[in-house]
Amino acid sequence: MEKISIIVPIYNVAPYLPACLDSIIHQTYLNLEIILVDDGSTDSSNKICEQYKTVDPRIQVIHQKNQGVAAARNRGLDEATGKYLTFVDGDD
């Protein structure tokens, strides 16, 4: 099974983030690398990311100052090691 990298750029999506992350971690395909890029959130998104990191070892959290969604995606790309990759928005 090839590894799939899922990159989630996050900025102030705390109300939606738990549902998004629950959906990802409960996929039937298990060989996932989940990269959460907190792009300088000012709400509790960063804390939610850290909580999920303790629950699922496939989750990696990156915190950076706010630079926009493109920079957050690019940062995730820099860290991705999967053969395939996809992006999921934090409010999806």
Side-chain angles (χ1 to χ4, degrees):
M1 291 177 43
E2 302 290 349
K3 185 191 299 183
I4 298 174
S5 298
I6 301 175
I7 300 168
V8 185
I10 296 165
Y11 181 74
N12 290 347
V13 292
Y16 314 102
L17 194 53
C20 174
L21 297 179
D22 286 340
S23 175
I24 294 170
I25 65 175
H26 291 107
Q27 295 296 309
T28 57
Y29 191 88
L30 299 177
N31 195 14
L32 301 175
E33 168 184 56
I34 305 163
I35 303 170
L36 309 180
V37 183
D38 173 32
D39 191 39
S41 294
T42 58
D43 65 359
S44 62
S45 294
N46 57 353
K47 292 176 185 172
I48 294 169
C49 290
E50 291 298 329
Q51 290 170 344
Y52 272 82
K53 178 180 170 181
T54 65
V55 173
D56 193 319
R58 299 173 298 173
I59 294 177
Q60 173 185 355
V61 179
I62 300 167
H63 298 283
Q64 66 181 28
K65 67 178 184 164
N66 182 259
Q67 300 173 55
V69 68
R73 287 183 177 151
N74 286 334
R75 180 68 191 277
L77 285 172
D78 290 342
E79 301 296 324
T81 63
K83 180 172 182 178
Y84 302 103
L85 64 94
T86 189
F87 297 101
V88 174
D89 288 332
D91 58 356
D92 285 349

